Amino acid sequence: MPRLHVVALAPRLPRWAEEACAEYAERMPKGYEVERINLKDERRLAAALPKSVRLIALDERGRELTTAQFAKLLDTPSAFLIGGAEGLSAATKSDAQMTLRLSAMTLPHALAQVLLLEQLYRAHRA
């Protein structure tokens, strides 16, 4: 299984969200590598990730996938980018190989992280 990265551009998560993310991380099957990275500055993104990963920007205007379709994305090392309160910059979104949406609605940052980890967990079973 390729290595996956969840990159969050935001301050520390509230306790409820951190506990939920940790719960889903614990449920991942052996060999299913998911690394969580918190960055305070979007400009540090390139230094935080291997050059070979596919960048997937999360944005409410992105492409919508079923869980089965999402699972197929996970065959390639990827980094899922979650923006802060203002979202991701236009430059980061244009650098991404794909823009994906978790919901047509704007989600709070903490909830987006929980939802993404939950979908990564489900995808390994799809």
Side-chain angles (χ1 to χ4, degrees), residues 16-102:
W16 66 266
E18 187 58 50
E19 288 173 359
C21 287
E23 173 73 23
Y24 283 114
E26 284 179 28
R27 290 183 187 186
M28 299 292 176
K30 194 172 189 171
Y32 198 81
E33 296 180 61
V34 177
E35 178 184 18
R36 294 173 55 212
I37 302 169
N38 287 320
L39 296 176
K40 292 180 182 177
D41 188 340
E42 199 169 329
R43 293 174 291 192
R44 296 181 185 202
L45 186 59
L49 295 169
K51 294 185 188 310
S52 60
V53 300
R54 173 182 48 198
L55 296 178
I56 300 174
L58 295 171
D59 186 87
E60 72 268 12
R61 291 170 294 281
R63 190 170 155 207
E64 192 169 78
L65 301 175
T66 65
T67 299
Q69 291 168 323
F70 180 70
K72 291 177 185 174
L73 286 180
L74 307 183
D75 292 338
T76 302
S78 301
F80 297 89
L81 312 176
I82 303 172
E86 301 299 319
L88 295 167
S89 70
T92 295
K93 286 190 261 186
S94 71
D95 287 346
Q97 285 77 37
M98 178 182 198
T99 304
L100 178 70
R101 78 176 180 184
L102 297 175

